[in-house]
Amino acid sequence: MLKTAVVTGGAGFIGSQLVDKLIQKGYRVIATDMIPDDKAKNIAHLKDEKNFEYVCMDINKGELPEICKGCDCMFHLAANSDIRVGGQNPTVDFENTLTTTKSVLDAMKQDSIPRMFFSSTSAVYGDKSGRALTEDEGDLRPISYYGASKLASEALISAYSYMNSFDALVFRFPNVVGPRLTHGVIFDFIEKLRKDPRKLQILGDGKQNKQYVYSPDLVDGIVDFMNRDYKGMNIFNISTESFTDVNTIADIICREMGLEDVEYEYTGGNCGWKGDVPSFDYDISKAKAAGWKFRYNSTQAVEMTVRDALN
C-alpha cells in the first residue's frame, strides 16, 4: 500500500517541488494551499496524476483533520514566506505561520499521524553575525515577526511531539532559491531591470552576504531524511557552506540579461529592511554527519535560478 503524505503549502515554491519528489518516490500526496485551483500553476501538471489530490483550503478553518485521516506523514510548509510583508503587518506571520502550525499539530494529534516535517528558518537565531551557528545555540533572539513565529512554532512542535508521541524533523533553511521562485532579491532585481535596464536600486549597501541553497537539493534532503528512522524532535541547520553577496547577485543578473553599465543605487545601511539579518553563518556539521548532501554551492544556486527565471 502506498504511503500517504499531506503537504501544506503544496502549491507554493518549495512545497510544489516537494510534491513532485514525493510522487516520484511512490507516495500518494494530498496538497493543501490557499491558491485557487485555476491559479495553482506550480501543480497544474499534476491535474491527471492518480496519486495526487489538491485541496484549496485555509488550514486554520478546522477542516484539516478530515483531510488527514489515514495519513502516514505530514510535511508542513504553509507559512508567510515574505519577511518584508510580515514586517509591515505582524498579523500576517501570526496567522499564516504560527497559527497554521498549531492547526497542523491539532490535526496530527486528532488523527494520530506518526511523523512530520517542518520548514523552519535561520531567522530564529536573530542577528548573530561573527560566529558559526549550531542547533544547540541557546540564545535565540529573532528580530523579525517571521523569525519569532517560526521559533514559537518549533516550541509548539516540541511540546506536541512529546505529549503525543510522534516524531518531528525540523530543517532550519537558509535562503532558498530555484525553479518557481516568486519573490526575493533575484525576483525583485529581474523585475526592476525589466522596467529600467539602466539602473538598479539595491536595498542596503549591497554587501549583505548570505547562504543560498538550491531548492531541488533541499527537497532531495527533506525526502531522504524523512525516510530515515529517528525518534522525537530533531533539528538540523541546512545550507551549502558558501555565501553570495547582494552585489554579486546583481552582477549575475545583469550579465545573464546582457546588460552593461547598469548604475547601482543603494538605499544605505547594512541591511535591506528592519528585521533583515545581513549575514549569518551556519555550522552544518550535524546535518552532514547525518548524510546531508548538496550538488550546488551558493553562487551556483543563484546562477541557475537566474537562468531559469529568465527563460
Side-chain angles (χ1 to χ4, degrees), residues 136-150:
D136 295 328
E137 170 73 31
D139 185 21
L140 301 181
R141 300 189 187 187
I143 61 171
S144 65
Y145 304 128
Y146 171 75
S149 295
K150 285 289 190 179

Side-chain angles (χ1 to χ4, degrees), residues 108-229:
M108 293 190 66
K109 178 177 183 294
Q110 181 171 325
D111 291 333
S112 300
I113 300 172
R115 295 171 72 81
M116 81 170 295
F117 168 82
F118 177 65
S119 57
S120 192
T121 171
S122 61
V124 302
Y125 290 103
D127 190 349
K128 297 287 178 61
S129 59
R131 70 176 188 269
L133 301 170
T134 71
E135 296 86 349
D136 295 328
E137 170 73 31
D139 185 21
L140 301 181
R141 300 189 187 187
I143 61 171
S144 65
Y145 304 128
Y146 171 75
S149 295
K150 285 289 190 179
L151 182 57
S153 294
E154 287 189 14
L156 282 177
I157 292 168
S158 177
Y160 270 76
S161 63
Y162 178 81
M163 293 297 293
N164 299 284
S165 301
F166 64 78
D167 302 321
L169 172 65
V170 176
F171 274 8
R172 289 175 175 166
F173 295 173
N175 292 64
V176 184
V177 295
R180 306 175 190 172
L181 189 69
T182 59
H183 67 274
V185 62
I186 294 173
F187 184 87
D188 290 346
F189 281 3
I190 290 174
E191 291 301 301
K192 288 178 179 179
L193 287 167
R194 280 173 172 164
K195 292 177 181 177
D196 187 347
R198 297 166 299 176
K199 63 182 178 181
L200 175 65
Q201 183 190 67
I202 296 177
L203 302 180
D205 58 10
K207 298 178 182 178
Q208 301 95 312
N209 198 33
K210 302 184 181 183
Q211 298 174 316
Y212 292 84
V213 65
Y214 196 49
S215 54
D217 281 349
L218 177 62
V219 166
D220 285 346
I222 292 170
V223 176
D224 178 19
F225 274 58
M226 276 291 284
N227 283 327
R228 300 181 183 196
D229 185 26

Side-chain angles (χ1 to χ4, degrees), residues 69-81:
K69 284 184 178 179
C71 170
D72 297 289
C73 49
M74 170 73 72
F75 294 82
H76 178 36
L77 286 82
N80 169 42
S81 57

Side-chain angles (χ1 to χ4, degrees), residues 245-310:
D245 65 44
V246 172
N247 283 328
T248 297
I249 294 173
D251 291 343
I252 291 170
I253 293 172
C254 289
R255 183 189 72 214
E256 293 297 327
M257 294 181 72
L259 302 176
E260 298 180 357
D261 300 322
V262 177
E263 179 185 356
Y264 294 170
E265 296 181 347
Y266 300 96
T267 62
N270 69 343
C271 63
W273 59 89
K274 193 161 189 176
D276 178 37
V277 177
S279 181
F280 70 91
D281 183 4
Y282 263 169
D283 179 336
I284 64 166
S285 57
K286 179 181 176 182
K288 287 176 67 178
W292 161 251
K293 300 175 182 178
F294 55 90
R295 291 166 294 174
Y296 304 106
N297 66 31
S298 180
T299 299
Q300 288 171 332
V302 169
E303 289 173 335
M304 288 186 294
T305 302
V306 171
R307 290 167 192 153
D308 181 79
L310 292 174

